[in-house]
Amino acid sequence: MRPAHALIDLSALRHNYRLAKSLTGCRALAVVKANAYGHGALECAAALNDEADGFAVSAIEEALVLREAGYRQPIVLLEGWFEAAELELICRHELWPVVHHHGQLADLQQADLRQPLHVWLKLDSGMHRTGFCAAEYPAIWRQLQASSKVASLTKITHFARADEPETGRTEQQLDTFLDATADLEGPASLSNSAGVLAWPGAHGDWVRPGIMLYGSSPFGFEQPQAAQLRPVMQLDSRVIAVHQIAAGEPIGYGSRFVTSRPSRIGVVAMGYADGYPRHAPDGTPVLVDGQRTCISGRVSMDMLTVDLTDLPGSGLGSAVRLWGEGLDAGEVASHAGTISYQLFCNLNRVPRHYQE
């Protein structure tokens, strides 16, 4: 069998969820959208079933997978609904939708619901992606509060730059949120992973840990709370061929890398069809037999090449770690010009194995 695989450490997932709870003292929605950031939504939900206060997903399709598997915790639909017909399913499965634009308000007003909804009303505090502006938010809140179609209201917003504490932008968004909701009772949810880790004054009543659940820091720098995270995914493979290459020889498609010395080049069963970033440059770190080396040559569909010259004990069959314990996914992502979120979500055909 092809040796490329991802090992998912569910005990690390639970550790990271507990860290979010301990840092905030709040109820925490485990964000399992996008198949739990590529880690497996059902498996991650099962691991958190006895602990999670609730789950959050992007859309109803993801929520129904959880409900059909028997998970009864609150499930927040972070994008609400896309068609009014979904409201019947939202009621039937007792989902908690975010309402973030006037079309959804109109749908709600016109719907014949079997029961009132637990609505999370989105404020655009400055990210300018979804949500109602601060000037109109209080009136919409009061309108929904008076509606027989609403069982409860939760205030929600989203920070654009909580992972950049020195910009001042999060303080501005927090002030906007507090001003707009000052006279509105009810619970609030402001913090994503970066907010959980770095903004203790913005935790509210519900936090929404996402990338931190999977052990990856949202920050581009060392951060004390993030240092307590444990990586959940180990992406591993093996060396499947070794070649001795003379100095001055090109490696791989496009001849991007040219050896500067006589080199031992290992071929690894991992490529962009698996989800490894095709644009990872020469020098992107990998671990071979636990020792650090790097990619040398362009990533192919099913293979990539690494420099084994300084690892004389490594060769055919050697273990290769692309990211995980010992090699942070964020470092790999930085080399490739992306973020760890995308690395995890892009893993397409790599089989996942789970350990407790």
Side-chain angles (χ1 to χ4, degrees):
M1 300 290 286
R2 190 165 179 263
H5 69 279
L7 179 64
I8 310 299
D9 183 349
L10 297 174
S11 66
L13 178 75
R14 286 189 289 270
H15 165 84
N16 297 333
Y17 180 83
R18 291 166 188 162
L19 178 63
K21 293 278 289 184
S22 69
L23 289 173
T24 65
C26 301
R27 288 175 289 179
L29 294 173
V31 182
V32 293
K33 65 180 180 177
N35 196 29
Y37 292 48
H39 291 68
L42 288 178
E43 293 82 359
C44 290
L48 295 172
N49 189 40
D50 294 334
E51 303 192 40
D53 299 311
F55 297 106
V57 297
S58 291
I60 196 168
E61 296 90 334
E62 296 173 324
L64 294 182
V65 169
L66 296 178
R67 283 288 188 254
E68 288 165 5
Y71 297 104
R72 305 313 308 166
Q73 291 94 333
I75 301 177
V76 173
L77 304 177
L78 293 172
E79 296 175 25
W81 62 89
F82 301 91
E83 299 177 0
E86 295 173 35
L87 282 165
E88 192 277 328
L89 286 172
I90 289 171
C91 285
R92 186 195 313 170
H93 295 282
E94 300 180 341
L95 306 176
W96 294 9
V98 169
V99 172
H100 60 85
H101 65 76
H102 287 278
Q104 291 173 330
L105 283 178
D107 290 340
L108 187 56
Q109 290 166 347
Q110 297 165 16
D112 182 15
L113 303 179
R114 66 169 71 187
Q115 64 201 34
L117 298 178
H118 295 279
V119 169
W120 288 42
L121 187 64
K122 185 73 170 285
L123 170 69
D124 177 8
S125 60
M127 188 168 181
H128 302 319
R129 189 175 61 179
T130 58
F132 298 97
C133 71
E136 63 182 344
Y137 189 88
I140 294 170
W141 174 275
R142 294 187 177 96
Q143 172 190 339
L144 291 178
Q145 189 178 44
S147 172
S148 61
K149 297 176 181 179
V150 176
S152 70
L153 280 170
T154 299
K155 304 177 285 277
I156 180 174
T157 195
H158 194 72
F159 294 135
R161 304 184 72 177
D163 57 335
E164 301 174 274
E166 304 304 319
T167 65
R169 187 59 176 154
T170 300
E171 291 92 337
Q172 294 171 1
Q173 286 195 252
L174 182 57
D175 288 344
T176 297
F177 180 86
L178 294 175
D179 289 344
T181 63
D183 299 323
L184 308 178
E185 297 180 354
S189 177
L190 298 88
S191 286
N192 55 6
S193 291
V196 167
L197 294 165
W199 296 93
H203 289 156
D205 303 282
W206 287 89
V207 292
R208 308 186 303 276
I211 193 64
M212 70 173 290
L213 286 185
Y214 308 102
S216 188
S217 172
F219 306 104
F221 53 87
E222 291 188 10
Q223 201 270 348
Q225 285 72 38
Q228 301 176 59
L229 297 170
R230 289 171 48 189
V232 174
M233 179 188 290
Q234 322 288 340
L235 181 62
D236 293 328
S237 191
R238 291 193 176 273
V239 174
I240 61 170
V242 180
H243 300 284
Q244 188 72 42
I245 307 294
E249 287 295 314
I251 306 294
Y253 284 120
S255 302
R256 182 182 72 184
F257 178 81
V258 178
T259 56
S260 60
R261 58 177 179 169
S263 302
R264 289 177 70 241
I265 299 297
V267 180
V268 179
M270 178 64 61
Y272 61 78
D274 300 300
Y276 194 87
R278 179 177 180 270
H279 297 294
D282 301 327
T284 300
V286 298
L287 300 180
V288 177
D289 292 331
Q291 302 174 85
R292 194 177 177 98
T293 185
C294 62
I295 287 177
S296 300
R298 185 176 293 169
V299 175
S300 303
M301 181 179 285
D302 310 293
M303 294 174 279
L304 55 80
T305 45
V306 299
D307 190 352
L308 300 179
T309 309
D310 296 326
L311 305 179
S314 298
L316 188 65
S318 283
V320 178
R321 174 149 296 166
L322 289 308
W323 61 70
E325 190 68 39
L327 178 57
D328 185 72
E331 182 182 1
V332 176
S334 179
H335 277 267
T338 185
I339 54 177
S340 59
Y341 306 63
Q342 187 175 37
L343 296 187
F344 299 150
C345 290
N346 279 359
L347 290 182
N348 299 318
R349 65 177 180 177
V350 176
R352 290 160 180 77
H353 306 299
Y354 295 86
Q355 69 176 23
E356 289 291 335

